[in-house]
Amino acid sequence: MPKLRRVAASVAVLALSVSGAAFAGGAAQADAPSAAPGAGEVTATAAVPDISLANVKSHLNEFQSIADANGGNRAHGEPGYQASVDYVRGKLDAAGYDTTLQTFSYFGETGYNLIADWPGGDPEQVLMAGAHLDSVSAGSGINDNGTGSAGILEVALEVARQDHQPDKHLRFAWWGAEELGLVGSEHYVDTLSSAERQKIAGYYNFDMIGSSNGGYFVYDGDNSDGTGSGPGPDGSAHLENVLEEYFATIDVPTRGTDFDGRSDYGPFIRVGIPAGGTFTGAEGRKTQSEASMWGGTAGQAYDPCYHRSCDDLGNIDDTVLNRNADAVAYAMWTVGGQRTANDFSISLSPASGTLEAGASATTTVATATTRGSAQTVALSAQGLPDGVTASFSPATVTSGESSTLTLTAADDAPSSSATVTVTGDGSESTTSAGYALTVNGTSACSAENGANGTLSSGGSAIQPDGSYFQAPAGTHTACLDGPDGTDFDLYLQKWNGWNWADVDSSTSAGPDENIEYNGSSGYYRYEVHAYSGSGSYSLGWNTP
């Protein structure tokens, strides 16, 4: 992580993506460990794996070998960084991840973010874990931040080994040029659309998780420490609670560390994305109370080789690293959730329809077992418009079977449009599908004369019934009730001796129109025109 607080930098984008494939200063130094809000309330929904320390260290060995072969570092713009990206991406591609290499330019050098998506999970609920992959130029960066990179890599590979299928979509990220000011993660967040940002349910950051004189720090999502920058965005407290719970299960006390913006969570919290993570200390010095609580040497830096050439394989505490790698897994398994072993889907045919007042319409509700074994499914409908009822035959099926949904509109049902949600409440899971319903209900127009009809977009109709009527001098009034969501227009026409001429009209942008016209005696008629949209209409009119 950067030694000093980041200064905003200008990043020139070379390409958005090539598809294919922390705290640095003194940590919070209160004399007592932070409480674990919600401990005992956040429960992992699937068995969390024990992450292999040997596997994590094998990745660190590779990072060290890469640095040794490339000038002693893995810094931005240097061949050691590119080789580190290639190593991590090769592992992920082989495990079945969808990887993307995102490029940017900084100080005239091309930088890379590596993004890896695990197929499956809800794409509208994305859980991310990230770590910066670059080192400083002074050394190989094994603790800063080979440990975070190796930790999330091994967790990602364990997801693949177990074919883990969480509720949320899992995404892992390795950031470039963090040591130069969070450049890579800033670029990633800045290039996300507002819609894509909203899909990220949480971001976990792991920066320096194996410090040789380390502590156990958790980012203070709820600002329970009451110091520094305040709480993270809504949801950050939950991410903190999950990590607190993990360390409580192994009887390791923790302390909070502030969201001071010095690692890659910064760009995420800036745009309102919940964040959390762990950190084991950098150049800050361990207090006596911390040494009593965690072991290690009071008065010495958590990482004596921070940003130095000695940040190599000898600069790691195995116990600290092992516990934090397991914390990564606990967080991803717990917050990610676990899909049920058995699941099903619902589809509707047709998925939309128009219903006349006093009539019925049907659609076939098909269910299919999509995972595991079949289950009993109870069907129901929600979001019905006024005057419409629903019935299923049968009302309960076994996934793989079908039912018929009948929608019935009362005689006095008003015109409306709605999406009816058809829900299947299974014995092990629940799913739903939508039916777009248009009701051509009773007319809101009350008059002594009336006519009904149906028009397609662009069509016209003459009323009454393609004919005309004779009227004395006086006032004509008319009301058109068109189908919701359309643009219907109304014209009053008079025979002038050789053709029908418009004498009044109402052409708003909506479905309903009104005319009031004071005219001489003669022959009259109304024209209804469907400017856009289709459906049934009602016309009422009064003659002088």
Side-chain angles (χ1 to χ4, degrees), residues 1 22-30 32-35 205-209 215-232 236 240 243-244 254-263 265 269 275-282 284 290 294 302 324:
M1 64 175 54
F23 165 81
Q29 297 188 3
S34 62
N205 191 71
F206 298 97
D207 191 352
M208 303 179 65
I209 62 171
Y216 296 90
F217 299 104
V218 176
Y219 287 107
D220 187 15
D222 59 2
N223 197 35
S224 56
D225 293 345
T227 61
S229 302
S236 300
E240 176 190 11
L243 289 169
E244 293 277 9
T254 61
R255 289 188 176 173
T257 187
D258 187 40
F259 278 130
D260 62 1
R262 289 184 59 182
S263 193
Y265 57 79
I269 63 175
T278 65
F279 161 67
T280 61
E290 290 170 346
W294 296 323
Y302 302 107
N324 275 271

Side-chain angles (χ1 to χ4, degrees), residues 391-472:
S391 62
F392 293 88
S393 180
T396 300
V397 298
T398 299
S399 57
E401 298 176 345
S402 296
S403 175
T404 298
L405 166 62
T406 300
L407 298 168
T408 302
D411 291 340
D412 60 351
S415 296
S416 62
S417 295
T419 298
V420 177
T421 300
V422 177
T423 300
D425 187 6
S427 53
E428 296 186 44
S429 59
T430 299
T431 191
S432 62
Y435 182 87
L437 175 64
T438 299
V439 180
N440 291 325
T442 54
S443 174
C445 300
S446 177
E448 59 189 32
N449 305 291
N452 298 310
T454 300
L455 289 174
S456 298
S457 182
S460 296
I462 300 299
Q463 296 291 0
D465 298 326
S467 186
Y468 57 89
F469 58 89
Q470 186 175 12

Side-chain angles (χ1 to χ4, degrees), residues 227-514:
T227 61
S229 302
D234 288 347
S236 300
H238 175 63
L239 301 183
E240 176 190 11
N241 290 347
V242 171
L243 289 169
E244 293 277 9
E245 182 188 67
Y246 162 71
F247 284 108
T249 66
I250 60 172
D251 296 323
V252 173
T254 61
R255 289 188 176 173
T257 187
D258 187 40
F259 278 130
D260 62 1
R262 289 184 59 182
S263 193
D264 291 301
Y265 57 79
F268 289 86
I269 63 175
R270 172 174 56 82
V271 298
I273 295 172
T278 65
F279 161 67
T280 61
E283 80 272 33
R285 296 185 179 275
K286 180 173 282 188
T287 66
Q288 184 59 59
S289 63
E290 290 170 346
S292 299
M293 183 167 49
W294 296 323
T297 305
Q300 289 189 6
Y302 302 107
D303 181 356
C305 290
Y306 174 66
H307 282 190
R308 297 170 59 193
S309 61
C310 58
D311 185 8
D312 54 22
L313 291 172
N315 190 42
I316 299 299
D317 183 288
D318 283 357
T319 299
V320 171
L321 177 61
N322 189 33
R323 289 170 172 172
N324 275 271
D326 287 340
V328 177
Y330 190 93
M332 299 304 285
W333 255 255
T334 302
V335 180
Q338 173 67 40
R339 290 191 294 173
T340 60
N342 302 319
D343 204 358
F344 69 97
S345 65
I346 283 181
S347 62
L348 306 177
S349 180
S352 63
T354 299
L355 187 58
E356 304 295 331
S360 297
T362 62
T363 183
T364 300
V365 182
T367 67
T369 301
T370 57
R371 186 171 59 251
S373 302
Q375 57 187 291
T376 301
V377 178
L379 298 170
S380 61
Q382 298 80 38
L384 294 167
D386 291 344
V388 176
T389 58
S391 62
F392 293 88
S393 180
T396 300
V397 298
T398 299
S399 57
E401 298 176 345
S402 296
S403 175
T404 298
L405 166 62
T406 300
L407 298 168
T408 302
D411 291 340
D412 60 351
S415 296
S416 62
S417 295
T419 298
V420 177
T421 300
V422 177
T423 300
D425 187 6
S427 53
E428 296 186 44
S429 59
T430 299
T431 191
S432 62
Y435 182 87
L437 175 64
T438 299
V439 180
N440 291 325
T442 54
S443 174
C445 300
S446 177
E448 59 189 32
N449 305 291
N452 298 310
T454 300
L455 289 174
S456 298
S457 182
S460 296
I462 300 299
Q463 296 291 0
D465 298 326
S467 186
Y468 57 89
F469 58 89
Q470 186 175 12
T475 301
H476 297 254
T477 60
C479 173
L480 173 67
D481 183 9
D484 290 347
T486 65
D487 183 357
F488 273 37
D489 299 327
L490 180 61
Y491 301 86
L492 175 61
Q493 299 173 340
K494 184 181 181 184
W495 180 253
N496 60 17
W498 57 90
N499 61 19
W500 290 98
D502 295 340
V503 293
D504 201 3
S505 64
S506 180
T507 57
S508 73
D512 303 328
E513 307 294 350
N514 290 277

